[in-house]
């Protein structure tokens, strides 16, 4: 923003200090003059001019002293105000320098202003906290962009290889090539759509509506029931009316991703998935549990990373695009909620999404 030049804050404070001292001195001299008039040290003649009194000698000696005092107050106010203003604004200078440093992309810089708590130190601490979050966000975005580029490059490279084989070997089975190309392209399209969904959730570019999580859980379960049956996994759904607000489409995607992950990362035959919704005074909860292999807390902490499946990265020939829980995390944050992943003692995973409750009647 273009601004016209103006006085610095330090100069304004200096002038304010000096002006305050001059005003205090003028009031003091006015009080002394009023006292002299009341005591009769100063009198006027009939024409209104000052005339000599027994205290005239005192008055004549006091006048130059008063002038010298006012001049001293002016100089002292300017010099002292400049020094004091500089000391008081020194923290602001450090904050300004840190802002300029951050503007160049050096987000690792911190102010770490010493001293006891005051307005400047509160501002510095808030700025350091903002830089810390921004640095973490930028690092996450860079890591995600690198992973996304790698994952998108894989299906494109496979497609190129298949086309090269088809062109150099006309006798090769065309149907097989087309089937593999369709599978690879489908995976690339799914990955692109997942990235767009993740971006939409991160930007919170959606309208909020009244949502019942229990209905979304039932819908997601019904949609994925054929997949569960093919994998030999049984699903149990139970819960209460759980009112909240948000994007029905995004929250349905969240629920679907959780149930889908619970199905595909299961024991297979005799596997179980439990989908539960519950309402509390200030929050609503969606909990999805599944049987499966035992997971360590370290492995669980990495599950929300992009393109991760347990302890391994996803690959082009695997089902899904490796963004299921990453999308769940982003949607949860966009709805001001919290996501908790806990390994089950008997194996498998428990995922709990907690969102703010919104009171309304179910129609």
């Amino acid at each position: 923003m273009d601004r016209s030049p103006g006085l610095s804050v330090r100069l304004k404070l200096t002038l304010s200090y000096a002006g305050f001292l001059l005003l205090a001195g003028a009031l003091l001299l006015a009080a002394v003059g009023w006292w002299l008039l009341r005591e009769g040290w100063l009198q006027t003649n009939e024409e209104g001019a000052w005339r000599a009194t027994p205290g005239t000698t005192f008055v004549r000696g006091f006048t130059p002293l008063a002038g010298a005092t006012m001049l001293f107050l002016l100089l002292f106010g300017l010099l002292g105000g400049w020094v004091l203003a500089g000391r008081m604004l020194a923290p602001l200078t450090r904050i300004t320098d840190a802002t300029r440093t951050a503007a160049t992309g050096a987000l690792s810089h911190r102010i770490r202003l010493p001293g006891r708590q005051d307005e400047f130190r509160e501002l510095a601490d808030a700025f350091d906290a903002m830089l810390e979050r921004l640095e973490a966000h930028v690092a996450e975005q860079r890591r995600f962009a690198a992973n996304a580029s790698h994952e998108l490059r894989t299906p494109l490279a496979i497609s190129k290889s298949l086309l090269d084989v088809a062109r150099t070997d006309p006798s090769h089975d065309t149907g097989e090539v087309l089937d593999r190309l369709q599978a690879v392209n489908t995976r690339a399209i799914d990955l692109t759509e997942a990235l767009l969904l993740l971006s939409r959730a991160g930007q919170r570019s959606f309208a909020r509506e009244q949502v019942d999580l229990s209905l979304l859980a039932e819908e997601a379960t019904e949609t994925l029931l054929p997949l569960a049956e093919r994998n030999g996994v049984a699903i149990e759904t139970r819960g209460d009316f759980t009112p909240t607000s948000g994007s029905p489409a995004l929250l349905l995607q969240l629920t679907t991703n959780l149930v889908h992950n619970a199905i595909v990362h299961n024991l297979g035959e005799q596997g179980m998935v439990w989908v539960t919704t519950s309402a509390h005074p200030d929050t609503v909860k969606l909990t999805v549990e599944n049987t499966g292999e035992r997971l360590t807390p370290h492995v669980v902490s990495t599950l929300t990373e992009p393109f991760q499946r347990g302890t391994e990265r996803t690959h082009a020939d695997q089902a899904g695009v490796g963004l299921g829980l990453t999308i769940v995390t982003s949607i949860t944050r966009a709805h001001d909620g919290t996501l908790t992943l806990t390994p089950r003692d008997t194996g498998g995973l428990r995922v709990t999404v907690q969102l703010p409750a919104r009171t309304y009647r179910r129609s």
Side-chain angles (χ1 to χ4, degrees):
M1 180 184 298
D2 294 332
R3 301 180 187 272
S4 57
L7 299 178
S8 66
V9 176
R10 187 176 185 181
L11 182 55
K12 290 179 182 179
L13 288 175
T14 300
L15 296 177
S16 299
Y17 296 151
F20 178 78
L21 283 177
L22 286 178
L23 178 61
L27 291 175
L28 177 61
L29 294 177
V32 172
W34 174 81
W35 180 81
L36 292 174
L37 284 174
R38 191 186 67 175
E39 296 297 325
W41 290 91
L42 292 176
Q43 297 180 6
T44 57
N45 57 21
E46 296 178 354
E47 288 78 15
W50 295 106
R51 65 184 178 83
T53 66
T56 301
T57 303
F58 171 78
V59 174
R60 290 176 178 175
F62 177 75
T63 302
L65 180 61
T69 301
M70 293 295 293
L71 180 60
F72 171 77
L73 289 176
L74 175 61
L75 296 177
F76 181 78
L78 290 174
L79 179 60
W82 182 261
V83 174
L84 289 176
R87 290 179 61 87
M88 292 180 62
L89 294 176
L92 187 60
T93 302
R94 290 185 59 175
I95 296 174
T96 303
D97 293 340
T99 303
R100 292 196 179 101
T101 302
T104 62
L107 300 178
S108 60
H109 178 72
R110 298 292 183 271
I111 302 173
R112 294 188 177 90
L113 197 63
R116 297 184 177 181
Q117 184 71 15
D118 59 16
E119 288 81 355
F120 284 130
R121 283 154 185 81
E122 184 178 357
L123 175 61
D125 292 343
F127 189 80
D128 283 344
M130 181 194 69
L131 283 179
E132 185 175 356
R133 291 193 298 269
L134 185 60
E135 183 183 18
H137 178 71
V138 171
E140 180 181 354
Q141 291 296 319
R142 288 175 177 172
R143 183 171 62 254
F144 178 79
N147 289 335
S149 300
H150 178 270
E151 294 298 320
L152 283 171
R153 183 176 58 185
T154 300
L156 293 176
I158 294 175
S159 298
K160 182 177 182 300
S161 299
L162 291 173
L163 291 174
D164 289 341
V165 169
R167 183 169 52 245
T168 57
D169 186 8
S171 62
H172 194 79
D173 187 358
T174 305
E176 180 184 356
V177 173
L178 292 178
D179 290 341
R180 294 192 61 186
L181 278 176
Q182 183 178 7
V184 172
N185 288 337
T186 299
R187 179 177 172 6
I189 293 173
D190 292 342
L191 176 58
T192 303
E193 291 179 348
L195 292 173
L196 292 175
L197 179 63
L198 193 60
S199 174
R200 179 188 171 196
Q203 296 175 0
R204 303 194 179 196
S205 56
F206 56 85
R208 292 182 177 269
E209 303 177 19
Q210 296 178 346
V211 181
D212 181 2
L213 280 183
S214 62
L215 296 180
L216 297 183
E218 293 176 3
E219 182 177 352
T221 301
E222 291 178 1
T223 302
L224 295 172
L225 190 57
L227 175 64
E229 292 175 349
R230 287 198 302 270
N231 286 269
V233 176
I235 304 179
E236 290 186 5
T237 304
R238 62 181 182 276
D240 306 320
F241 173 56
T242 50
T244 186
S245 68
S247 167
L250 289 178
L251 291 176
L252 177 60
Q253 185 69 48
L254 176 149
T255 308
T256 302
N257 284 4
L258 290 179
V259 177
H260 182 273
N261 282 352
I263 294 173
V264 298
H265 301 296
N266 214 302
L267 293 175
E269 296 294 336
Q270 307 302 320
M272 288 292 302
V273 173
W274 298 272
V275 182
T276 308
T277 56
S278 58
H280 305 273
D282 299 321
T283 61
V284 295
K285 291 184 179 180
L286 168 67
T287 303
V288 179
E289 299 183 58
N290 64 274
T291 54
E293 64 180 28
R294 291 180 180 271
L295 301 173
T296 65
H298 172 70
V299 171
V300 171
S301 66
T302 65
L303 293 180
T304 56
E305 290 292 324
F307 311 110
Q308 293 285 336
R309 177 175 287 115
T311 58
E312 302 292 336
R313 284 181 56 86
T314 59
H315 299 283
D317 58 346
Q318 292 176 320
V321 295
L323 289 174
L325 288 179
T326 304
I327 292 175
V328 169
T329 303
S330 182
I331 295 175
T332 302
R333 289 176 180 172
H335 287 79
D336 303 316
T338 57
L339 177 68
T340 305
L341 280 69
T342 308
R344 299 178 71 245
D345 295 336
T346 56
L349 184 67
R350 177 185 299 108
V351 182
T352 301
V353 176
Q354 184 171 299
L355 301 175
R358 297 290 185 269
T359 302
Y360 67 92
R361 293 174 180 255
R362 181 171 9 197
S363 58

